[in-house]
Amino acid sequence: QVQLVESGGGSVQAGGSLRLSCVASTSISDASELNWYRTAPGKTREMVARILERGTKYAEFATGRFTVSRDNSRRLVELQLNNLEPGDTGLYQCSVVLRARTYWGRGTQVTVTS
C-alpha cells in the first residue's frame, strides 16, 4: 500500500504561482507513472501533467505554464504552477502507478481569483 499526501495548494490571484508537492510513503523510483490530475468545479477529472518512463507529458492548457518534476531521494513529485488563471481552480491530486497498481492522494485545493 502506498500513501500519497499532497500539499502546497491555496488561494492566489490570477497571474500568481504555486508549487504543489506530493510525498509518497514508499520509494517511487520504480514507478512507471507519476501523474497530476485536477477536478474543476462541475467538471470531470482531467490530466494535468505526467512523468512516464519515456518522458513527460502535459495537457494543452498546462504547456508553457506548469512544470512537473520528481525527486526520488525524497519520494517527491512536484508541480510548479505559473501564470495561474481562474480556470485553473480545482482539486489537484497526484497518482502513482507502481507495480501495476494505481494509488491516489486526497488532493490539495487551488483557488485562483481574478
Side-chain angles (χ1 to χ4, degrees):
Q1 192 73 7
V2 179
Q3 280 79 46
L4 302 172
V5 179
E6 300 94 336
S7 62
S11 182
V12 295
Q13 289 188 326
S17 298
L18 287 171
R19 189 171 186 85
L20 308 184
S21 297
C22 172
V23 178
S25 61
T26 188
S27 173
I28 59 170
S29 59
D30 293 332
S32 59
E33 293 184 24
L34 301 168
N35 307 304
W36 282 97
Y37 283 79
R38 75 181 186 186
T39 306
K43 296 186 178 180
T44 57
R45 186 163 59 194
E46 59 183 347
M47 188 274 292
V48 178
R50 60 194 342 175
I51 300 175
L52 307 172
E53 292 175 337
R54 57 187 180 275
T56 58
K57 183 176 180 179
Y58 294 91
E60 185 174 346
F61 62 80
T63 301
R65 299 191 299 132
F66 300 171
T67 303
V68 64
S69 61
R70 71 190 294 175
D71 184 339
N72 290 338
S73 66
R74 295 192 292 162
R75 296 176 275 119
L76 188 65
V77 186
E78 296 186 298
L79 184 67
Q80 177 68 40
L81 309 174
N82 294 329
N83 194 20
L84 284 161
E85 304 168 352
D88 295 318
T89 293
L91 180 69
Y92 285 69
Q93 293 174 277
C94 69
S95 75
V96 171
V97 178
L98 184 63
R99 292 184 284 276
R101 292 189 63 180
T102 301
Y103 302 91
W104 289 88
R106 292 187 174 184
T108 185
Q109 178 68 33
V110 171
T111 302
V112 185
T113 58
S114 58

